Amino acid sequence: MIFEIVKSRGLSHKSYFIGSRGAAAVIDPRRDVDIYLDIAKRHDMNVEMVFETHRNEDYTVGSLELSKLVDAKIYHGAGLDFAYGNPAHEGDSFEFGSLQLEVLETPGHTPESISITVKDMDASEDVYMVFTGDALFAGEVGRCDIYGPEEVERMAGSLYDSINQKILPLGDGVIICPAHGSGSVCGAEIRDVDITTVGYEKKTNPLLQKTRRDFIEHKVAERFYIPPYFKRMELNNQRGVEILCRLPHLRALSTVELQGMDDGVQIVDVRDPESFAGGHIPGTLNIWSEGVPAFAGWFLNYHDPIVLVDYDGSRIESVERYLIRLGYDNIYGYLAGGFSSWFKSAGPVETIEPCSVHELRDKLEDPSIFLLDVRKEWEWEEEHIDGSHNIYIGILEEKLEDVPKDRSIILYCDTGYKAGIGASILKINGYINVTNVLGSIMAWKKAGYPTLGVEFHG
Amino acid sequence: MIFEIVKSRGLSHKSYFIGSRGAAAVIDPRRDVDIYLDIAKRHDMNVEMVFETHRNEDYTVGSLELSKLVDAKIYHGAGLDFAYGNPAHEGDSFEFGSLQLEVLETPGHTPESISITVKDMDASEDVYMVFTGDALFAGEVGRCDIYGPEEVERMAGSLYDSINQKILPLGDGVIICPAHGSGSVCGAEIRDVDITTVGYEKKTNPLLQKTRRDFIEHKVAERFYIPPYFKRMELNNQRGVEILCRLPHLRALSTVELQGMDDGVQIVDVRDPESFAGGHIPGTLNIWSEGVPAFAGWFLNYHDPIVLVDYDGSRIESVERYLIRLGYDNIYGYLAGGFSSWFKSAGPVETIEPCSVHELRDKLEDPSIFLLDVRKEWEWEEEHIDGSHNIYIGILEEKLEDVPKDRSIILYCDTGYKAGIGASILKINGYINVTNVLGSIMAWKKAGYPTLGVEFHG
Amino acid sequence: MIFEIVKSRGLSHKSYFIGSRGAAAVIDPRRDVDIYLDIAKRHDMNVEMVFETHRNEDYTVGSLELSKLVDAKIYHGAGLDFAYGNPAHEGDSFEFGSLQLEVLETPGHTPESISITVKDMDASEDVYMVFTGDALFAGEVGRCDIYGPEEVERMAGSLYDSINQKILPLGDGVIICPAHGSGSVCGAEIRDVDITTVGYEKKTNPLLQKTRRDFIEHKVAERFYIPPYFKRMELNNQRGVEILCRLPHLRALSTVELQGMDDGVQIVDVRDPESFAGGHIPGTLNIWSEGVPAFAGWFLNYHDPIVLVDYDGSRIESVERYLIRLGYDNIYGYLAGGFSSWFKSAGPVETIEPCSVHELRDKLEDPSIFLLDVRKEWEWEEEHIDGSHNIYIGILEEKLEDVPKDRSIILYCDTGYKAGIGASILKINGYINVTNVLGSIMAWKKAGYPTLGVEFHG
Amino acid sequence: MIFEIVKSRGLSHKSYFIGSRGAAAVIDPRRDVDIYLDIAKRHDMNVEMVFETHRNEDYTVGSLELSKLVDAKIYHGAGLDFAYGNPAHEGDSFEFGSLQLEVLETPGHTPESISITVKDMDASEDVYMVFTGDALFAGEVGRCDIYGPEEVERMAGSLYDSINQKILPLGDGVIICPAHGSGSVCGAEIRDVDITTVGYEKKTNPLLQKTRRDFIEHKVAERFYIPPYFKRMELNNQRGVEILCRLPHLRALSTVELQGMDDGVQIVDVRDPESFAGGHIPGTLNIWSEGVPAFAGWFLNYHDPIVLVDYDGSRIESVERYLIRLGYDNIYGYLAGGFSSWFKSAGPVETIEPCSVHELRDKLEDPSIFLLDVRKEWEWEEEHIDGSHNIYIGILEEKLEDVPKDRSIILYCDTGYKAGIGASILKINGYINVTNVLGSIMAWKKAGYPTLGVEFHG
């Protein structure tokens, strides 16, 4: 049996390649599908089937792309009307080589979610592993808020039943292969491991210790942001998107070319926040490269050309892949030679004042500062630096009226990266005195400085 | 947590890299250790510890090599007096990052065998996975014959207890990481999967369905060959071997240089048997490249220079690695340009008559042929082609008196590769009419031709 | 200045990437253009222009493919009516970065052939290098027979003038970058170097020592075969072909699938001749992998599906590229697992008797053999083994009536590879006793055995 | 013939691999020799000889390392007493394959400098190419100051003669392969091309247009800095250094480990200057990664441990190689996770004020600033910003008394990178107000702002 986990960083997305005796299936492929072709070639296998465990909302799935290139059949849950592929129902079974895959309907994250069990018939008729999609993760379960707050209770009940009546009964020894790992926006507290087992989750997953009532209550109380691009991903994944065939070749732009582009151009500086602080092109958005999968969808539109700015080009291809996975087909180019080619050409340069947590402590005395925490609302409630105001980074642009223009704005988040996004947004919007706390609350706490929680949460 | 499986083909050996927050351990490293350095570098980790689950007998372990390069500590079971490293006892515990590793003494395969459990303390104090070495495999258990036939019964009882009292009680949900996969000489019927679980093995592993008495009986009845190089590997792994530092650079030999070498030179043609049949250098041994890990140790000595012959050089590096893992430090070079440079230089060429299973059927009528099955004795007993004689390939050279020189020798094995080794050995020893059955008994059966079993086994 | 030579093996084709300050040109791109994209990306450059030195007849040029992916302009000689791109006339000049490229019309190989000079204006206004296409090679000049025998004299005169009036006057110190290297079908005796200079060629190129009259006489006397696919390449390159976008993904075929394919399927075994001799699928054509660029076009049609057989898959991608460069868009798949999967599945196997030159010498006495030399007619005339008949491999299928079916056919060529093609063709056509001389005339001579030349050539 | 150019960035060093029929020579190998082994393996070649064109002073040559691994003979000019290798005299000739290499004694850069001509005897007895070492570059000639100012006149005459009596007479068509390309410290104005020819240099190299007298005058007037490490390289290359065997594995250091290291540790931040400006570890030296080959030797000693700080680890291996080439064997480790892991761990952070050229213009009015140009003395004389003081970056530490502590120091250089080194040096030495002009004089001029030259130069 060939079994390979394909992890997509940033999205913390996991897809799987499973094959036996020349035939293979891919579960939840990403949109840049070259990696599956490479695995197939390495093992002399044909990808015959592509399974989607659910209609994804956080990225554009690569089923159509892969299917087109290798002539495979696509299957997804029967509970939704997809414009492509085939419906898979409870108990549907697919065989290739020594493997038998079988569909379990496991609604809850979405109504049409499915899990797929794997038996190795050479060894036994017992289930060996199960692909659980966004139903069950290591240490977590899927979100139930995708269909709106009014549906959470119903969906949570449904998810509880799926897990308890379908997945856990498979047996403690069954290996669980979820669709996301640690860091995904699709689950709050996913553990940082590749695989887990039913038995280990039953013992250690806090959600599985709850009664149905407590489980639902927990899910109803749970709070998530829904990035604006989720809607587009849902459409993409229900209707299908254009076939790319290959990663688009990006144009290497000179400073002069970049300066000559229309105002609409979306320039994204993918360097780290302290580098952006040390110098950047005025008016540009800063999203560090590994933050692109999770944050680009909050800020970039799907029509104006996107141009990337990097140190030296080494991050361009991975950022391009990240954007492609989010359905961006409007990536135009990148600044040739990186940021330094801008300043060598006498392009105007702006800076942001960075500050360490030790400097922050000294500045807190100063009444003219406005301390802005851009983490999630509930993270702030849990614990924050005294005196800070909270606006989540994703909605900062909508809430600018809450940020005073006449004060020194000091931003922080977990470690300084999201604060870097925020600092760039404030600068774009005309704020002059903007400071980013490098290390943010993580360093603040390591340094032993005090934090506050909001009473009713603490 | 970083968890990577490093598989060494041919040996079907599995080593593991496990790390957390900058520190890592490697379990049973192979001797060409560059891959662990690469993983460590990729994850910004230092390998702090190297564990050996037991003194390996089928390859030269890379603990010393790795330890030298990264300054790590080596641990192995306390039950044997190693010339390097540190003893690890039941209950010894090692922590790094969020991980806690703990030693279980699990004798049976060898007296000093240990297993190592892993807990992810961030998640819980429950065991998450266990490295079982050669105690428990997917679908199999370890050999108990390494210390001689008189010890098998005692060792088997010991192994039964280790598995049943130490490993299985860890819980069904625990992930099992064994030291070998399908195809290893260290276990007869290992299944072809990367990982398994306690629960899945309890359900499906035939050895775990047996009582202690039946288990021991099964192990006592079990038959294995002990290749002559096992003794050397045991010494290597107990005493330690020379540090390589890097893969030795091999000399690209011209036909003239090769022809000028001393008689002692060990020329190994690593091409496939039908290619060897179609033309080869007289007097050379044929071991197809992927067969080198399992068979080189039967035929090659450790002092005379080894020279490799390939198609085009593409298999040289992997064969070099295979030999290094077997402790061969006497690899001298390879024929530059591959076999074709030999015949282009007017070197003498010999051939072997290959034959298909369909041709074999026709030839069986011919009383002058001597049909030789070079599979294992018990494989022959289980099922063979009528009229065949059995000599295991590993001992063929010692048993040549049983192979008549005046008859046409037709060799077969499973698929024709080991028969290819055999054919080359016979040619070296002066046999003239030698035929290799391509596809051998696998194809024979696929073609629907009959086989025989020996009564008391069938 | 960035200057990279992209060599395509087999075709011995050379294309060039030349860039300066962010902009680049590609000269004579091959059809699988990923390599130019990679170079461009590595140097942060945009390919702005693609030049074709002439309408190629030996491969399908990648200008349209590349132009489509990077949005570059295509230029070719004005003397032919291309369905795409732009005409370039004598003296047309193109500038980017510090470079100035200028067109020289250098007809002779084809009427519309151009050369392109390069000046590095940062250094001086002197010509630094020149792309000579198929006009002038290292040690050779281009063929003049493409437009038919009646045109050779005129074309040769034209070529002489192009070289002597356009290229050589550029100055001895000018670097020459030709479109082909040693081994190309586009020039008989090209030397095995990457680049040369005007001065070195003037001293050492035998063609440049001749008077105009002698030069023309030499070219008129010169003999070349024109493979049938040349016509198609000419059409492809005049009209343009379909955009591939990426290397097509090939299907991994099982023995059963392959056996089930229609009779039309074109199975090509790309293994070396001695391997093919040692066992092959009945009815298949043998072209060793590196021979595919030069010989596939003689034997494969453009409509029936092509399936490749290899050792282990390692040669499949390069052969696929070779075929793509020849305009084959009908490559369907390859035998998964290589030839061994065929015989393991009990597929019928045929063999060919290989023989060494020493055995050949002994066999020559035998009056029943028919010794067939499949080299070029004029190679045979120059020197051959006594008693041999000559039919060029490319036309062997048309001349089968000259090969007696009732005799043992022994084939030879230079080294045994083309003889391997011939042996497979004879087997396909029902010949039973077919032998391939490994090493062929090269080994024959190295062994000190005698050859004959035909008087009037000798 | 196999001919490959191996370029080492930063040093702008070029070494060459040249081979024919299985044997090869390497000219001036760098110390990390894996690339030559790879080329040799790719072409089935043995490196039989290693040539050093001269005792290098700007890097540690890899002859001994390579020779040890492949068992090759080393040759260098007879005019110096090397502790290893063999002397090569004028006219000494070496043959392998079709190649004949011959030694020309071409003193001038150093007394024992040699050039090596290459003839391809298959083509002709004319010289095809010549390795000129540091005698003749594209557009330049070698330095003559290595043996001190009092020797320059003599050496320059010697170099003039070597070029005019040995190299140029080889003929215009001869290809020149020099030991350095554009950017090397071994020649002032080397052009940015890989190869050139005698003819092209005769036309375009300004040094070759001069009379002997003018040539010597030019060389005597020429000014160079001699970095302190040159002396060590000379010793290294005369005596030989320790064999590395492989690139040392670097330790991934946590913030805590780094903080715990002795004061002596040499921390080098290899990020770009604007990133360093945006935040860095107090007391660290900033040399951007690609500046390490040229500048590390000015600042780092050979005994205290060196630790590297990067963005994300992507530049660590290349910087390690750069340091190895400079003979640094005291590289200890790198900050795991890059600079961000420092601030996430609450390490103290300092910043430097960057400034654009536009801001600089505004600041020039301010009498409290001290504008410091850290380019070479003669570059400053040629052209500088009015009001600037000049101290070359290499000697800044020795000249700190010339930099007032009580003023705002604004540094510039060509583009801001060397000014970044300077800024870090000033910070280390207690300067508080330090500003780095991003883009420096290059951007200043692009922006149209005025510069001054010193009269007697202008």
Side-chain angles (χ1 to χ4, degrees), chain C residues 1-3 120 122-124 126-128 170-175 191-197 199-200 203-204, chain D residues 1-3 120 122-124 126-128 170-175 191-200 203-204:
Chain C
M1 185 197 312
I2 297 300
F3 174 69
D120 180 358
D122 279 359
S124 101
D126 293 290
V127 172
Y128 171 63
L170 294 171
D172 282 6
V174 170
I175 295 167
R191 269 186 294 115
D192 175 26
V193 293
D194 282 349
I195 51 168
T196 184
T197 64
Y200 190 73
K203 277 193 187 156
T204 65
Chain D
M1 185 196 312
I2 295 301
F3 175 70
D120 180 358
D122 280 358
S124 101
D126 293 290
V127 172
Y128 171 63
L170 294 172
D172 281 7
V174 170
I175 295 168
R191 267 186 296 115
D192 174 27
V193 293
D194 282 349
I195 52 169
T196 183
T197 64
V198 168
Y200 190 73
K203 274 192 189 158
T204 66

Side-chain angles (χ1 to χ4, degrees), chain A residues 41 44, chain C residues 310-317 334-335 337-338:
Chain A
K41 195 188 274 193
D44 278 352
Chain C
D310 182 19
Y311 298 107
D312 52 8
S314 63
R315 301 178 174 196
I316 296 298
E317 186 184 316
Y334 65 98
L335 180 60

